[in-house]
DNA sequence: AACTAAACGAGACGGTACGTCGTGTCTTTCG
DNA sequence: CGAAAGACACGACGTACCGTCTCGTTTAGTT
């Protein structure tokens, strides 16, 4: 995720043990002290690595966390074609909500989105490496519905995606209301009915 | 915003001059150095106040910023009844988008939402003092539409609000795509058509 | 000790209750938290007085302490004439050591001497109001011995005083060895034998 | 003075440049602003070191000052045997007084003795690292005189040391009278005559 | 096998900001 | 009008992390 070596440089190779220990320590710490209490100093201490080793491979604590998250829950899951927008969208939403409703995952996502606001460079990486990949999945689903003529008029593909993810993120970030299947049903109703 | 004394306590009264200088300095600094570069130390120095004075009245820099924002753009604006959901909602969205599209306001909102994720106590205050007030305004508009029978079936009042604000915030936080009248039209189409 | 009124000024008179409460609180606090932990803030809080009231009457916490000490143990005690330097000096030393050996008195004296080094203005007041008065008492005793021809040659009156008080203070400040009658005997021996 | 390395610990070594800069800055500052005006903040700023670096190696500003003093005037100077108590003691006193009469040295000593009263832990270090070493030097001189039978009866070795240093310190701390060779003569007379 | 290069743990370094404490001044209200 | 209460500007405190920089050690190629 951080580099594509290919070559054959001399010198000691990157230690997979360190990498794993760092990512594991990060996940432990985020659960124990929260994102605000997470520090590179703490990650290094907990993992038994030196600070330099962390800085060598990740530009910020948010990037460590992003990679740690990726090791847990992979971001790209193909969506099988269930034959209709209603069925496809419902399945996608129920799966996605289930993931976000898991406490540690939801907390991490909130922290990363927060950091993306404060650190623009990380924001770009977060968009690229996470948000856009998720949009693509939903996008393919919507394109299939478009081919079937199931989409509402007057609303662009991109805006539809914004509405779906917007509602999801708004619940996560703002109201912190539960993400359940009822919300999935309502969103499906809103989009399919239009 | 912090207290409603009514009191007759002895002792020197809170200095309005200090309060104003602090809020003004905060707005200057957020424009100059951004939220990440904003510090209580810096606010105190720029405003000519002591750090203690800031800490006495606000629990965090985000709270200062929230109050500073409130002095600039008041949060509650009544929405006149234009006779139909389409007209009401479009006007509300265009006005709201126009505010959020202003660079300093949008930046500040993003920073506050970010901080709300990281600092749960501030999160509660932000919800209470800002987010819920905005929801109320939209809620009244939707209730009027409900009375007229203009609302889509199968979607609750709260979820409708989530969809509208969710899309708005998602654009602000995630895609950073422009908030223009076209988006307003699409949202109106989606909701009114359903 | 700080002022000699005589006057007929208008306005409310100085509150003796406040003065006493402040001095009493000071003695309590010095015992509880030591000189370093003693603050004007704390004295005011403990005594129920306002900080301003303390500042109005004493220039520093050391001055409060000096006056509090004076209320406890009066500084000038006449020394009866026992007929010889040996007897006079021994009595003076035993009495003086007994006072300094009392834990709170010794601690306070050490603190005041320390403060006198750090704050030159207080140093002058301490010398004037305390140290010189003590020297005078010993000086009179030595003068009587001089009249009797009991003093060693080659050592001035002032230097003799320096030697006696120097040894006393050095034990207090530096070695913190006990101040007992044996030391009195040795000093008497040294001076009378010479 | 703070540690006995010998070690083979990993990690970057202590920077001698920082140490020297800190001690030098301390001596400059004590001359410019006095002990009360001396702050760790100021020492760090003047020396170009970080505050943490100062705190890492010294527990208080007094300890920095003590070590800075030790780099300037070494504390242990052997006293040559001049053949008699009178000669030895006079030389010791004249040398010692000359040192203490130097304005910055005297000021620093006064400040350290003051701090030793206020901060008991530093008091122990001051006694151990400075006062006792000086006592040893004088002690050896007195032991030589004892071997020659030159000491007054009825006065212990330790008390003799107390008398000499007591008089010296009392002049420094209390009367602030000059430390000149006349005082040396008088002390020699007092002790040798007894 | 010797050499070179990089990664590693450890930890000191110059910094910045933190949140708190005490100072001495001021303003307000009460008795 | 004195004295309480308490807000204020100021400045230093000691701490926590930041991100960088040596150290000495370990691990891989490359000669």
């Amino acid at each position: 995720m951080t580099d594509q070596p290919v070559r054959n440089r001399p010198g000691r190779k990157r230690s997979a043990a360190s990498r794993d220990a760092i990512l594991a320590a990060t996940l432990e710490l985020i659960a124990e002290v929260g994102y605000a209490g997470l520090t590179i100093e703490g990650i290094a201490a907990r993992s038994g690595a030196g600070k330099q080793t962390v800085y060598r491979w990740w530009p910020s604590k948010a990037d460590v966390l992003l990679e740690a998250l990726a090791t847990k829950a992979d971001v790209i899951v193909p969506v099988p074609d269930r034959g209709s927008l209603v069925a496809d969208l419902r399945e996608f939403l129920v799966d996605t909500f289930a993931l976000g409703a898991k406490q540690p995952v939801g907390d991490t996502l909130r922290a990363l989105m927060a950091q993306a606001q404060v650190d623009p460079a990380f924001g770009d990486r977060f968009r690229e490496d996470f948000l856009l990949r998720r949009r693509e999945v939903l996008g393919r689903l919507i394109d299939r519905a478009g081919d079937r003529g199931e989409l509402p008029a007057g609303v662009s593909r991109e805006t539809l995606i914004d509405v779906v993810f917007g509602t999801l993120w708004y619940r996560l970030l703002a109201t912190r209301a539960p993400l359940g299947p009822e919300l999935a049903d309502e969103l499906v109703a809103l989009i399919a009915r239009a």
Side-chain angles (χ1 to χ4, degrees), chain A:
Chain A
M1 187 158 277
T2 15
D3 215 10
Q4 217 84 318
V6 186
R7 43 60 166 280
N8 240 355
R9 285 188 300 144
R12 187 173 176 174
K13 282 189 182 131
R14 177 172 183 183
S15 156
S18 281
R19 193 195 96 112
D20 295 347
I22 287 167
L23 297 180
T26 302
L27 289 174
E28 283 174 41
L29 285 170
I30 196 80
E32 290 175 26
V33 297
Y35 183 77
L38 187 69
T39 64
I40 294 214
E41 200 109 8
I43 292 171
R46 170 71 65 102
S47 67
K51 277 165 61 175
Q52 192 66 262
T53 302
V54 183
Y55 281 112
R56 190 161 13 232
W57 301 110
W58 294 276
S60 77
K61 68 171 178 174
D63 290 272
V64 185
L65 191 53
L66 179 55
E67 186 164 343
L69 182 69
T71 65
K72 281 281 161 185
D74 214 359
V75 160
I76 305 207
V77 265
V79 190
D81 189 338
R82 296 282 180 237
S84 75
L85 171 61
V86 168
D88 281 2
L89 184 56
R90 191 167 196 289
E91 180 171 343
F92 174 82
L93 288 175
V94 168
D95 288 356
T96 300
F97 288 0
L99 190 66
K102 275 189 216 155
Q103 225 249 313
V105 176
D107 283 355
T108 303
L109 288 176
R110 286 210 312 276
L112 293 177
M113 182 61 98
Q115 189 58 28
Q117 310 310 311
V118 162
D119 173 351
F122 172 74
D124 291 343
R125 291 191 293 274
F126 182 56
R127 245 181 297 285
E128 187 95 11
D129 292 347
F130 184 83
L131 295 177
L132 290 185
R133 296 185 185 205
R134 297 296 299 154
R135 288 181 73 89
E136 257 172 63
V137 176
L138 179 56
R140 278 200 287 274
L141 189 157
I142 286 186
D143 289 341
R144 284 204 300 259
D147 293 345
R148 297 190 203 105
E150 296 175 308
L151 294 184
V155 187
S156 74
R157 181 194 122 113
E158 295 307 307
T159 297
L160 271 183
I161 301 178
D162 290 350
V163 167
V164 171
F165 280 121
T167 308
L168 160 60
W169 276 103
Y170 184 76
R171 287 252 175 141
L172 261 184
L173 301 171
T175 70
R176 312 198 62 166
L179 289 168
E182 322 79 33
L183 180 60
D185 288 331
E186 291 184 273
L187 277 176
V188 169
L190 183 68
I191 291 173
R193 199 83 48 104

